[in-house]
Amino acid sequence: GDALAAVGAISLSEDCTAGPEVDLTDFEVEVVAYLSDGVDKLRAANDTKSRASLGGGQEVLLLGVRSDKTRCFPPSMQVEKGALRSRADNTVAFCVAQRVADLLGAEEVGSSPPQSSSSAPVARPVARVIVDPMCGVGTYLLALRWVLARRGLVGCRGAELVGVDVDDETVGHLRGNVAAAGSGADAGPPVAALRGSSLALPLRSGCVDLIVVDPPWGQRHSSHNYVKQNMRKWAKEWARVLKPGGAAVVVTICKKVFEEQVIPPLQREGLLELEEAVQFDNKGWTVCRLYVARKPLCTPPARP
């Protein structure tokens, strides 16, 4: 905000006089990086009690000019949501999809048998099943499909994306969005749409390689108490369908619920282990986090 204060706010329409008007479709300048000393909303939100003790310095906003020589270009993904209320954002979905692709890429290199002490690991083609168990209209799945089509991961050739949602209308929008996106090798892996609940997914145990999910936050589709009461049940069902060694990528603002009421009991049961937690700004929700929770390769025996 401070970096743009000198030139005023950016207006989104002709009748807005708050600042200079910009074209967000055929733009000529794009923000490349924002360098901060960490004293911003993200850090303050992480520990609001010590906000007064935080000190800050100058911050830098770097701008990059587009040219024909750069490979950077705006991705194209049209997701029809109809009258459904959805917070899913295309930009965030693409960022999450890139992180998922990174995880898949790391796994495919690590899946190769050792060649020799001097040889580099070689990727081994592996059929992958990737599921969004609360997919909505398919924003995350379509972003992941777009990314996988362009990343060219060997281990994801023959992969299948599966979207599951409890609402019939939502599943219908997902199928329509998949059809509109086209098919074929250039479009990415096929996407299947299923109706079902994360309390009892219509999938057999141990059949999924990776889960990517943005469960309800208790803001629009449900109450916070509903999320609080069901998040652990959802996560336990996700763990059931994951293969040993499979991972769940979870995006949520309910970090206290996930970190204190979901992960500890599931970890004690040997179902999921927290591997990564990254906080980021999700359309103004600065407390949002991306979690990577992995199912252990071996489930320990139940305690007496």
Side-chain angles (χ1 to χ4, degrees):
D2 294 339
L4 294 175
V7 296
I10 296 177
S11 64
L12 302 180
S13 63
E14 295 181 358
D15 57 353
C16 178
T17 59
E21 183 179 346
V22 296
D23 188 335
L24 298 180
T25 303
D26 298 318
F27 50 85
E28 294 301 329
V29 177
E30 61 183 355
V31 176
V32 175
Y34 176 57
L35 304 182
S36 168
D37 55 11
V39 184
D40 51 22
K41 289 184 178 180
L42 285 177
R43 183 173 173 187
N46 205 26
D47 187 1
T48 54
K49 294 181 180 180
S50 62
R51 183 186 182 97
S53 65
L54 302 177
Q58 294 185 345
E59 298 176 337
V60 180
L61 180 68
L62 302 180
L63 298 179
V65 180
R66 296 177 63 200
S67 74
D68 294 336
K69 296 181 180 179
T70 63
R71 299 181 61 187
C72 179
F73 59 93
S76 175
M77 185 179 74
Q78 300 296 325
V79 177
E80 179 62 43
K81 299 180 181 180
L84 297 175
R85 297 179 297 174
S86 173
R87 287 192 183 277
D89 179 78
N90 291 358
T91 302
V92 173
F94 278 118
C95 293
V96 173
Q98 293 287 359
R99 182 67 190 105
V100 170
D102 289 341
L103 290 171
L104 294 171
E107 290 176 1
E108 75 173 17
V109 171
S111 67
S112 302
Q115 307 294 320
S116 67
S117 58
S118 59
S119 62
V122 178
R124 180 177 63 187
V126 178
R128 303 217 181 252
V129 177
I130 303 166
V131 174
D132 184 342
M134 307 178 97
C135 66
V137 297
T139 306
Y140 280 81
L141 282 178
L142 290 172
L144 180 58
R145 187 190 195 206
W146 190 95
V147 168
L148 292 180
R150 286 151 181 81
R151 289 281 293 264
L153 299 175
V154 176
C156 289
R157 294 174 183 172
E160 181 181 9
L161 307 182
V162 180
V164 183
D165 200 274
V166 71
D167 182 71
D168 284 327
E169 181 183 359
T170 303
V171 173
H173 278 292
L174 168 61
R175 291 183 175 132
N177 288 328
V178 171
S183 59
D186 294 339
V191 180
L194 302 175
R195 186 184 180 280
S197 167
S198 268
L199 295 175
L201 290 170
L203 301 168
R204 69 177 186 275
S205 300
C207 70
V208 176
D209 295 282
L210 190 140
I211 283 175
V212 56
V213 61
D214 184 351
W217 296 356
Q219 300 291 325
R220 291 191 174 189
H221 298 281
S222 57
S223 67
H224 180 70
N225 284 335
Y226 174 80
V227 175
K228 185 177 179 180
Q229 293 169 4
N230 288 282
M231 180 76 85
R232 181 183 171 186
K233 299 176 184 177
W234 297 335
K236 191 169 184 177
E237 181 67 357
W238 303 336
R240 178 187 69 81
V241 300
L242 277 174
K243 296 177 181 178
V249 177
V250 184
V251 177
T252 181
I253 64 170
C254 304
K255 60 181 186 180
K256 187 173 182 180
V257 173
F258 194 79
E259 294 178 6
E260 297 181 8
Q261 301 178 27
V262 174
I263 288 297
L266 295 186
Q267 186 166 330
R268 288 193 295 270
E269 295 178 48
L271 297 178
L272 286 177
E273 295 180 355
L274 185 60
E275 188 173 280
E276 180 181 346
V278 178
Q279 189 160 322
F280 68 100
D281 189 325
N282 189 340
K283 296 196 305 181
W285 294 88
T286 56
V287 297
C288 192
R289 289 192 177 180
L290 180 149
Y291 297 96
V292 178
R294 194 171 296 277
K295 186 174 183 177
L297 289 172
C298 297
T299 302
R303 296 180 180 179

